[in-house]
Amino acid sequence: MSALLQADEASALLAAAIRGELPDERGRFGPFGGRYVPETLVPAFERLEEGVREHLHDASFQAEFRKELHEWVGRPTALTFAPRLSEIWGADVWLKREDLAHTGAHKINNAIGQAILAKRLGARRIIAETGAGQHGVASAAACARVGLPCSVYMGAVDMERQAPNVDRMLRLGAEVVAVESGDKTLRAAIDEALRTWVTDPEGIYYLLGSAVGAHPYPYLVRELQSVIGEEARQQMIDLAGGLPDVAFACVGGGSNAIGLFYPMLGDDIELIGVEAGGTGNGLGQNAATLATGTPGVLQGSYTIILQDDDGQVQETHSISAGLDYSGVGPEHALLQATGRVKYISATDDEALEALEELCASEGILTALETSHAFAAAKKYAKEHPGKRILIGNSGRGDKDMPTLTKYPARTRSHAGA
Amino acid sequence: MQAHERITAAIAAATKSGRPALVPFITAGYPKPADFIYTLKAIAAVGDVVELGIPFSDPMADGMTIQRSSFEALRQGVSLKWIFDQLDSASGEIDAPLVMMSYLNPLLAFGYDKLADRALAAGVCGFIVPDLPFEESAELRAALEAKGLGLIQLVTPATPETRLQTLCDASRGFVYAVTITGITGGGAGLPADLAQYLDRVARLSSLPVCAGFGIRAREDVAAVGKHAAGAIVGSALVEVLERGDDPQPYLRSLIGQ
Ligand SMILES: Cc1ncc(COP(=O)(O)O)c(C=O)c1O
């Protein structure tokens, strides 16, 4: 995809990204990003952009956000050395434990940050979309915390495969709206949330869950998630004896990946994003957007998307609801085009296998989304022995039990040995 | 006359004859691709300007009816290229100026220059792109204007005054005044303060203003017609076609014929 940019343009853009100058004032990461939204929402986006400018880096917002991250989310999350995995893989493997954050995934960093912002902007209620249900649960919890009503839009297919999270959202006081249109997964849920926002652009705050969509969301979500990479970077220096050689994160919309990678862009660290390879390379069999997609506009942003020759967005497949998305955040599109971050994919089967291996060797049940990062890291370790590897362990896998129970636990046979 | 001026002229002709212009909307190729041109001719015989919806996989500004029609047309293989081929085959047989309503991505995928060429050849005079705000529109606008085609701007009740002026000035053909703060197909009726809003848009616009979203019945067209030059009828017409009913009596009933 690097053919999208001339070499000198690519290096200038990467330098700008490292200096923190992107997105530009038009919400662009080089050619990617922007704001493609219905006219009814334009004033709402302008208010949001203005609100972000006024509050996000304001001392009082930051003080409240940091306090909530510490006292309510439980940050900083641990950096965990994985001794048995390291031995098996022939590498030095470290895990940034977002699974230990409140509600079980990195999504809470963004949710509580935006909920605080929504409160300051005078929102009457909050809407959110969710795929795996992790962002829905995080939003429900954050809304309860700041005292705002919350409605979560969730595709009917996802409600079934992530049933435990639906129940959690309801108990946290949110309304869960089943989305029956389109592909009934994350993309349809975002479309439906946007339609709802259009009905009350002044009263509703849309708490978007990944680094996707129209400006300023990709920027806002990155700023709120960068705490992952800031902590991990320092922890590697303090605990692992230095920065990693390589860092892995799974990529759905790209929020945990940008959170981990962004503070490391200027370091000599290889960065690898891992998308969902699904069941194969055919259109519709995977959600490997950056690996196989082309530029287009989806849900507010010019980015890389999975589409056919007529510009119709394609359905995706992944065993993990959180990666099952036909688009990706525009900043990832730029980081790929500049060559700074490499994006690869892992299949459903590889992810399942990696999940089992991690469970058995380190006692950590990771999310199916996250398992893709482990699968790719394992392959890398085999090809590059002796490296210091950092993996963004974006969430825990309890929510995946309805899916996992369909696959017999292979490791159980070791029990009697 | 440039293509976009044909739209303005068709609306002005209706005004001159003492009635609101009628702008029917259909999703191209729905319910049956084989009936597309037949249906289009029937509708164009009553409507002053016809709005053709290009089906898209993610119609985020549309309600259930247009979503359903869009997904079904796609399922049956309707594409922008197919639509242009069909329109070419009916060339010279449709008098009403055509306007295409499309989300941006199918237009991007088609290529802007080729789009303008084929649109002009097919009798399309303008485009409405619901997910393309003015700030992102320079490139498409330039490609269309190079061929005399118009990019029609939408304004909404949420649009602030200064922006309203910018959008009215940028629009070509007519100004599309969205009646409600919401998506297409809403059944909640027209808002109470519609008259003031439409008057405000009309004051700022040198082009005729057509109102759309939520217009279903003769009373709606009459109410809108007092304050705007035309009425756009989308979801309600799509539902008529969906039921297999003849669209002409329905459209005529809207303008009291
Ligand atoms: C645990 C976990 N990891 C990763 C993701 C993917 O999202 P993103 O790419 O925004 O980090 C999700 C999404 O639901 C998730 O729940």
Side-chain angles (χ1 to χ4, degrees):
Chain A
M1 211 43 67
S2 40
L4 282 172
L5 294 176
Q6 306 291 339
D8 53 343
E9 200 185 350
S11 54
L13 282 168
L14 178 58
I18 291 169
R19 286 194 304 268
E21 293 169 5
L22 299 184
D24 64 20
E25 67 284 353
R26 293 188 58 229
R28 295 272 169 176
F29 301 88
F32 302 107
R35 182 184 294 158
Y36 298 88
V37 299
E39 184 58 37
T40 307
L41 289 180
V42 169
F45 270 91
E46 285 175 350
R47 278 195 299 276
L48 176 60
E49 185 179 358
E50 185 55 40
V52 167
R53 198 176 305 129
E54 186 185 334
H55 295 288
L56 190 61
H57 294 114
D58 161 71
S60 113
F61 175 90
Q62 281 295 326
E64 185 178 355
F65 178 50
R66 299 289 153 179
K67 186 164 188 282
E68 288 298 80
L69 285 183
H70 181 60
E71 294 176 8
W72 185 70
V73 174
R75 301 205 74 91
T77 58
L79 179 76
T80 303
F81 179 58
R84 301 206 15 197
L85 214 53
S86 295
E87 197 184 318
I88 303 167
W89 291 7
D92 199 6
V93 183
W94 295 81
L95 313 180
K96 178 58 177 166
R97 300 289 306 281
E98 293 303 294
D99 58 314
L100 297 179
H102 180 45
T103 66
H106 69 289
K107 297 283 181 188
I108 196 71
N109 306 323
N110 172 51
I112 189 64
Q114 286 199 54
I116 295 169
L117 180 65
K119 191 89 183 170
R120 287 178 185 232
L121 297 180
R124 286 190 288 274
R125 70 184 186 103
I126 284 185
I127 60 170
E129 84 298 337
T130 197
Q134 285 305 111
H135 176 59
V137 167
S139 297
C143 288
R145 180 72 176 170
V146 304
L148 279 170
C150 178
S151 304
V152 180
Y153 292 81
M154 187 169 190
V157 169
D158 291 339
M159 284 180 75
E160 192 189 322
R161 59 180 164 174
Q162 311 280 216
N165 272 345
V166 176
D167 197 25
R168 287 171 78 197
M169 285 181 256
L170 295 172
R171 284 169 204 278
L172 286 162
E175 171 199 30
V176 181
V177 184
V179 177
E180 297 283 356
S181 68
D183 63 0
K184 299 182 192 173
T185 66
L186 181 56
R187 179 159 59 93
I190 295 177
D191 283 333
E192 203 54 32
L194 287 167
R195 289 185 191 110
T196 305
W197 194 11
V198 168
T199 64
D200 182 13
E202 293 198 21
I204 290 176
Y205 181 96
Y206 181 17
L207 207 175
L208 186 58
S210 191
V212 300
H215 180 64
Y217 283 110
Y219 163 73
L220 173 59
V221 175
R222 177 193 82 197
E223 292 297 292
L224 296 171
Q225 290 291 7
S226 288
V227 64
I228 303 171
E230 285 158 11
E231 285 177 8
R233 199 178 172 284
Q234 192 57 48
Q235 287 167 320
M236 287 301 293
I237 293 169
D238 295 345
L239 305 174
L243 293 175
D245 298 307
V246 57
F248 287 86
C250 65
V251 178
S255 69
N256 89 87
I258 202 70
L260 184 69
F261 294 165
Y262 186 68
M264 303 180 185
L265 285 182
D267 293 315
D268 183 19
I269 302 172
E270 197 177 345
L271 302 173
I272 300 179
V274 188
E275 296 184 304
T279 55
N281 291 327
L283 207 55
Q285 293 183 323
N286 58 65
T289 310
L290 287 160
T292 61
T294 48
V297 168
L298 174 64
Q299 295 175 331
S301 180
Y302 181 72
T303 183
I304 303 296
I305 65 178
L306 290 169
Q307 59 185 328
D308 66 13
D309 292 343
D310 295 321
Q312 303 297 340
V313 182
Q314 292 303 290
E315 293 189 5
T316 50
H317 164 79
S318 170
I319 193 170
S320 64
L323 304 186
D324 207 352
Y325 182 57
S326 330
V328 68
E331 192 159 16
H332 287 292
L334 177 71
L335 291 173
Q336 172 173 262
T338 60
R340 177 62 186 95
V341 180
K342 200 167 133 198
Y343 297 86
I344 58 178
S345 66
T347 65
D348 286 355
D349 286 344
E350 289 167 340
L352 278 167
E353 219 170 280
L355 183 145
E356 278 200 28
E357 182 177 52
L358 177 65
C359 265
S361 56
E362 302 293 344
I364 296 171
L365 171 58
T366 199
L368 272 170
E369 290 78 13
T370 319
S371 307
H372 290 73
F374 280 89
K378 178 179 184 155
K379 265 193 200 165
Y380 178 95
K382 290 260 137 56
E383 290 158 17
H384 307 83
K387 296 280 187 189
R388 189 185 287 150
I389 298 176
L390 171 65
I391 301 174
N393 194 48
S394 60
R396 68 185 188 213
D398 309 47
K399 67 179 178 64
D400 293 313
M401 289 316 297
T403 302
L404 293 175
T405 44
K406 292 182 192 154
Y407 300 87
R410 280 164 274 196
T411 40
R412 207 180 295 145
S413 57
H414 297 302
Chain B
M1 197 185 324
Q2 297 214 314
H4 68 84
E5 293 168 331
R6 282 186 56 209
I7 306 171
T8 316
I11 296 167
T15 308
K16 208 169 157 209
S17 70
R19 62 168 176 85
L22 188 62
V23 184
F25 166 98
I26 57 169
T27 299
Y30 182 77
K32 291 201 193 70
D35 296 342
F36 172 46
I37 292 298
Y38 175 82
T39 306
L40 176 58
K41 282 181 186 167
I43 283 162
V46 186
D48 298 289
V49 175
V50 176
E51 204 186 312
L52 274 183
I54 310 307
F56 182 50
S57 53
D58 287 76
M60 57 146 123
D62 284 302
M64 282 318 289
T65 299
I66 294 178
Q67 285 180 46
R68 190 166 62 236
S69 64
S70 199
F71 296 145
E72 182 56 25
L74 286 177
R75 201 187 61 76
Q76 297 192 56
V78 172
S79 68
L80 187 52
K81 182 181 171 306
W82 179 88
I83 294 166
F84 280 133
D85 290 346
Q86 295 290 306
L87 293 176
D88 287 348
S89 75
S91 115
E93 298 169 36
I94 297 163
D95 291 334
L98 304 178
V99 167
M100 280 187 166
M101 204 297 311
S102 176
Y103 288 86
L104 185 61
N105 204 52
L107 308 184
L108 261 180
F110 198 82
Y112 289 169
D113 291 334
K114 194 170 106 194
L115 177 76
D117 285 337
R118 290 219 58 183
L120 190 65
V124 174
C125 300
F127 283 82
I128 301 167
V129 187
D131 60 344
L132 183 67
F134 175 71
E135 289 73 8
E136 303 282 3
S137 69
E139 216 182 320
L140 177 61
R141 183 185 310 277
L144 295 179
E145 290 195 350
K147 294 280 151 44
L149 299 161
L151 184 58
I152 294 157
Q153 291 299 151
L154 295 137
V155 302
T156 83
T159 310
E161 196 84 4
T162 47
R163 183 174 178 83
L164 201 53
Q165 186 67 66
T166 306
L167 299 179
C168 286
D169 292 347
S171 201
R172 295 290 178 270
F174 65 89
V175 170
Y176 192 139
V178 176
T179 56
I180 52 169
T181 306
I183 55 177
T184 59
L190 296 171
D193 54 358
L194 184 65
Q196 295 95 298
Y197 158 66
L198 291 177
D199 287 345
R200 192 155 51 93
V201 182
R203 249 196 328 274
L204 297 179
S205 173
S206 55
L207 289 171
V209 176
C210 295
F213 284 38
I215 296 173
R216 314 188 70 90
R218 186 175 165 179
E219 307 80 73
D220 300 333
V221 174
V224 155
K226 290 196 198 110
H227 303 274
I232 301 158
V233 182
S235 299
L237 174 59
V238 172
E239 284 159 22
V240 167
L241 294 170
E242 205 162 47
R243 284 195 299 270
D245 292 348
D246 184 349
Q248 286 197 345
Y250 169 69
L251 290 175
R252 290 214 174 88
S253 77
L254 292 176
I255 44 175
Q257 288 179 357

